[in-house]
Amino acid sequence: MITVSSLAHKFLDNKGVYEGVAQLSGVPRAFIQKTLVGGRCMARENKKYHLKGKICDYDAVSLYPSAMVRLGGYLKGVPKVIDDANLHYGFLKRCDGYFIKIKITKIGKHLPFPLMSYINDKGVRTFTNRCGEYFVDKIQLEDWIEFHHIDFKVIQGYYYDDGRQMKLAPTMKFVALNFNMIKEFYKIAGCEKWKIKSYQPISEHFTYNVAGTEVLSMSKRIMNEVMAVADDNNIDIYYQDTDSLHINFEDLEKLKTLYHTKYNRVLDGDDMGQFNNDFSIEGCDEPYSEECIILGKKCYLDKIVGWDKDMIKHIEYHLRMKGVPNKTIYHSADKYYKGSVIDLYTDLLKGVRVDFDLLCRDEDGISQRTQFVFNKDYTIYTSQKFNRTLCF
């Protein structure tokens, strides 16, 4: 095994979690793959925010293992085509699982963090409140009905009715499924060898993508339940990053009570399926963010504060800027903002364009970071210039 994912997959296989579970290829695999959706990451209503007060980063404990335990087991048997007579929800409700294409005709409730999503023209998954055609599995559709109150029409799809292999929950280990595509070829520099990339024919490419899809869907249900309780009770959530959310510290107790009332489960704790505060400062109890700037997906700042046993205030910064390392963020803050990362993020919040030197060159032009460029012919050289300009 050369990857952790391969090792985890083999471990689960040895534990029997795939007994009776079919690997798929060809058209069924390609169709079901369209229902697979990764973690949702977005700011509330895709807007920018500058928050002050007490903000908590409420984090799900072991989200994917929790989803596997909640799921219980993978679908057994092979997918069956839904015939025309059964293209309705009454039939689907009797199935153990399904993967279908639907057309949403009405959305009864719009959410600040929508559950529906599509791939836009730039190849980016975008979450939306709009009607249209979507590929969904059983878990996703149930959540859309529960939280969005949708009306829909079933167009086509596959169903399972052979039960589940229930050895998954006791195993409690996450499987990351990788689907490698091969599509190009390059001559290797300095020799006569070639590196070849080609698309794996779907008729020969067998995977357990049904398992991966349902785990991801169940992980989102764990998040959806918490966020829906908040939304239904006017508790603001400002940002979600797959397995965590930003919420006002003062709203946590209310959220915990409301969640327990609705689902009869304890929300806060360290066990799987629960949530806890992800902010930490060594030697300080219950740190929180006293200032938060949210620019967009994977781009935000938290000024985290905490007090130690001698009541001395400690400050740390939690920075995220997709495509820009933290060292580069601090370098740009030193260069343009007298060391203030808050001023840097504030300008970005205002729409100011900020240039980031990813090599972190000093006044003499000497790089503090090294960036290698890997060419397709296997030659490698060191970048002399590598800048990114961001504007929100």
Side-chain angles (χ1 to χ4, degrees):
M1 303 297 165
I2 61 174
T3 67
V4 172
S5 299
S6 298
L7 182 62
H9 177 74
K10 187 63 176 177
F11 175 83
L12 291 175
D13 195 18
N14 290 343
K15 291 294 183 180
V17 301
Y18 298 120
E19 291 178 6
V21 179
Q23 293 193 63
L24 301 183
S25 183
V27 174
R29 192 207 70 82
F31 183 95
I32 291 173
Q33 185 70 13
K34 294 179 181 179
T35 68
L36 188 148
V37 180
R40 180 175 54 193
C41 179
M42 63 177 290
R44 182 184 184 89
E45 297 179 335
N46 285 317
K47 295 180 179 180
K48 296 183 286 187
Y49 297 91
H50 191 171
L51 312 170
K52 295 184 179 181
K54 294 181 69 174
I55 307 297
C56 174
D57 185 21
Y58 210 38
D59 185 74
V61 178
S62 301
L63 181 62
Y64 292 125
S66 297
M68 295 175 75
V69 171
R70 182 93 171 261
L71 186 62
Y74 295 137
L75 292 166
K76 295 195 296 184
V78 296
K80 304 174 180 69
V81 177
I82 304 174
D83 58 37
D84 292 342
N86 289 318
L87 288 174
H88 57 86
Y89 191 54
F91 169 76
L92 294 176
K93 287 193 290 187
R94 300 193 297 269
C95 300
D96 297 308
Y98 49 80
F99 303 84
I100 58 176
K101 181 180 181 181
I102 65 170
K103 182 176 182 179
I104 296 179
T105 57
K106 180 183 177 181
I107 299 176
K109 183 177 182 181
H110 285 211
L111 298 176
F113 292 87
L115 311 187
M116 290 85 71
S117 66
Y118 67 96
I119 304 296
N120 66 19
D121 295 337
K122 296 181 180 179
V124 177
R125 182 167 294 280
T126 304
F127 289 87
T128 179
N129 280 297
R130 74 181 191 183
C131 293
E133 294 185 351
Y134 298 91
F135 291 85
V136 296
D137 66 0
K138 176 182 174 73
I139 300 167
Q140 291 170 341
L141 183 58
E142 289 175 347
D143 283 0
W144 296 9
I145 294 170
E146 170 73 16
F147 302 123
H148 270 297
H149 307 163
I150 65 168
D151 292 339
F152 63 95
K153 176 183 177 182
V154 182
I155 299 174
Q156 60 182 161
Y158 297 91
Y159 71 97
Y160 285 78
D161 61 356
D162 294 317
R164 291 180 178 271
Q165 171 52 263
M166 300 303 289
K167 294 182 180 179
L168 175 63
T171 304
M172 296 184 296
K173 193 164 181 72
F174 171 60
V175 181
L177 299 175
N178 298 299
F179 304 96
N180 298 317
M181 293 296 189
I182 305 172
K183 57 183 178 179
E184 299 172 307
F185 61 91
Y186 314 109
K187 188 176 186 299
I188 299 175
C191 68
E192 295 303 317
K193 294 183 178 180
W194 292 72
K195 177 182 178 182
I196 298 175
K197 290 187 175 182
S198 64
Y199 284 108
Q200 184 82 350
I202 62 173
S203 60
E204 300 174 8
H205 189 198
F206 288 86
T207 65
Y208 289 113
N209 65 333
V210 170
T213 296
E214 288 201 313
V215 169
L216 288 170
S217 296
M218 187 58 76
S219 72
K220 279 186 282 295
R221 173 173 288 182
I222 293 172
M223 301 298 297
N224 293 342
E225 290 173 343
V226 177
M227 300 178 76
V229 168
D231 187 63
D232 289 343
N233 293 277
N234 299 314
I235 297 174
D236 289 333
I237 293 175
Y238 304 104
Y239 182 81
Q240 182 193 353
D241 196 344
T242 302
D243 64 345
S244 65
L245 49 92
H246 276 53
I247 183 173
N248 291 318
F249 209 95
E250 61 188 18
D251 288 332
L252 276 181
E253 290 304 319
K254 180 181 177 182
L255 178 63
K256 295 174 193 177
T257 300
L258 291 167
Y259 180 89
H260 187 271
T261 299
K262 182 168 184 177
Y263 294 109
N264 196 29
R265 296 195 299 264
V266 177
L267 179 61
D268 198 78
D270 296 321
D271 292 333
M272 285 192 293
Q274 295 183 311
F275 286 67
N276 53 38
N277 184 8
D278 196 45
F279 288 143
S280 63
I281 297 179
E282 187 175 355
C284 298
D285 293 329
E286 291 194 340
Y288 59 85
S289 172
E290 71 173 12
E291 187 167 3
C292 176
I293 299 176
I294 301 170
L295 303 174
K297 183 186 300 186
K298 297 287 187 182
C299 298
Y300 59 90
L301 168 150
D302 281 298
K303 181 182 178 182
I304 307 172
V305 299
W307 283 262
D308 61 22
K309 62 181 180 180
D310 298 318
M311 296 306 297
I312 297 175
K313 185 178 182 179
H314 296 259
I315 298 175
E316 293 185 4
Y317 289 95
H318 179 69
L319 308 178
R320 288 291 182 269
M321 188 77 69
K322 188 174 182 180
V324 180
N326 281 8
K327 184 173 182 178
T328 300
I329 297 174
Y330 283 110
H331 177 267
S332 296
D334 290 338
K335 185 176 182 179
Y336 303 119
Y337 296 94
K338 299 180 180 179
S340 174
V341 289
I342 289 184
D343 288 348
L344 186 157
Y345 273 75
T346 300
D347 260 7
L348 288 169
L349 184 71
K350 295 176 181 177
V352 175
R353 299 172 66 89
V354 177
D355 183 62
F356 293 91
D357 178 5
L358 273 77
L359 301 183
C360 297
R361 290 170 294 183
D362 60 21
E363 294 179 355
D364 298 322
I366 300 175
S367 299
Q368 305 302 307
R369 295 186 71 249
T370 301
Q371 174 71 26
F372 295 111
V373 176
F374 296 84
N375 294 317
K376 293 180 179 180
D377 65 357
Y378 277 59
T379 57
I380 304 172
Y381 69 88
T382 304
S383 294
Q384 300 302 311
K385 184 178 181 181
F386 188 15
N387 289 8
R388 281 200 172 113
T389 301
L390 299 185
C391 181
F392 294 87

